[in-house]
Amino acid sequence: MKPDYRQQGNVLIVSLLMLLVLTGLAVSAVSMTSLNLRMVGNMQDQFHAEGIVQLAVDELVSSLQPFENPIDRTEQRDIYQVNLRTKCIASEPAEGWQENYSLNTPTGIRYDTHWRVDAEIVEGAVNGELAAVQQGVRVKDMVTKCG
């Protein structure tokens, strides 16, 4: 009886197909890893941009100067240019103070003022990250009225 050698070619074909499937899985895994790394990098850039804008707002509201002389300004922060705007929304006499219009102008009056602070990135975004913050601020005992 002669041995049957015809089936040895089938093993080679099956093993080549398995190798092809495993290569396809490896290539797709590398592709997914690359995509995930880009997504994480973009998220880090976005969080960084948001932190820069929030820091600019925090530093702005820690001083009275932007509320005594409200002007739009652009500041360079890290790699970003941040636009900062302060806008008075309303003012009211501070608690314990009464308005005196006897001389047609309030004298000796202190006001509580309500402001809106807007900040946004206008330039410097590397991957198209955008960040904007709107924050309300109440400034107590201002000498001048606004709004």
Side-chain angles (χ1 to χ4, degrees), residues 45-61 71-86 117-125 129-135:
D45 289 343
Q46 181 65 35
F47 289 146
H48 182 248
E50 290 172 4
I52 292 290
V53 171
Q54 187 61 52
L55 179 65
V57 169
D58 290 346
E59 288 178 3
L60 181 84
V61 300
I71 58 169
D72 293 354
R73 64 192 76 194
T74 301
E75 297 180 0
Q76 184 70 33
R77 300 282 181 143
D78 198 11
I79 61 171
Y80 305 106
Q81 282 190 356
V82 180
N83 249 6
L84 295 161
R85 288 181 297 282
T86 54
V117 177
D118 296 319
E120 64 182 342
I121 289 180
V122 292
E123 196 174 311
E129 58 271 16
L130 300 173
V133 172
Q134 286 187 349
Q135 183 169 326

Side-chain angles (χ1 to χ4, degrees), residues 12-24:
L12 180 62
I13 291 174
V14 168
S15 64
L16 285 175
L17 286 175
M18 292 292 287
L19 183 61
L20 185 64
V21 167
L22 288 175
T23 303

